[in-house]
Amino acid sequence: MHYAVVLTGISGIGTLTNFTSYFYIKKTFDTDINVFSILAKDSLANGCCSALYFVTNTINAFDEDFLRDTIGCNIFCYGLMVPSLLGPWTSLMISLRRFLQLRHPTLFQ
C-alpha cells in the first residue's frame, strides 16, 4: 500500500512539472523547428503518461471496487501499463530525434 502511495505522489509531481515545463517552453521559446520543439513534445508526452498513471492510481486508492468490473479492469491496466511501456519509448524517440537534429542540422528542414 505504501509503495502505491509513493508512486502515485511521484507521478503527481511528475505530471505537474512536465506540464509546467511544456507551457514554459511554449511561452518562452520559438518552438517551430528546433530543439525547444522537441523538449516541449518530450515534456508533453511524459506529462500525459504521468497523468494517466496518477489518475488511475488515485481512483484505485479511493475506491478499489470502482475498477473491478471488466471496463474498470481494462482502464486500470491501461493506466498502469501504457505509461510504463510508452514513456520510455517516446523519450527514446524524442531523444534520438534531438540527437539527429543536433548532429545533422539540415536533415529535418
Side-chain angles (χ1 to χ4, degrees):
M1 176 66 184
H2 298 296
Y3 180 70
V5 171
V6 169
L7 286 179
T8 303
I10 290 171
S11 66
I13 292 169
T15 301
L16 290 175
T17 56
N18 279 305
F19 283 136
T20 303
S21 297
Y22 173 73
F23 291 123
Y24 175 76
I25 291 169
K26 289 297 257 185
K27 184 177 83 172
T28 307
F29 302 106
D30 178 26
T31 58
D32 289 335
I33 301 176
N34 56 18
V35 175
F36 295 115
S37 172
I38 298 167
L39 291 174
K41 291 173 187 172
D42 184 38
S43 62
L44 183 63
N46 285 323
C48 290
C49 287
S50 295
L52 183 61
Y53 187 81
F54 177 74
V55 167
T56 55
N57 273 341
T58 303
I59 290 171
N60 193 37
F62 285 116
D63 188 11
E64 290 183 8
D65 293 332
F66 183 74
L67 297 174
R68 294 291 182 223
D69 61 347
T70 305
I71 295 172
C73 187
N74 285 329
I75 291 170
F76 186 66
C77 227
Y78 284 127
L80 292 177
M81 297 308 287
V82 167
S84 301
L85 297 174
L86 186 64
W89 283 108
T90 56
S91 293
L92 174 71
M93 296 304 287
I94 291 169
S95 297
L96 182 63
R97 170 87 161 69
R98 183 182 328 149
F99 172 75
L100 288 174
Q101 186 174 7
L102 290 173
R103 186 82 170 162
H104 306 285
T106 59
L107 185 66
F108 295 106
Q109 291 181 0

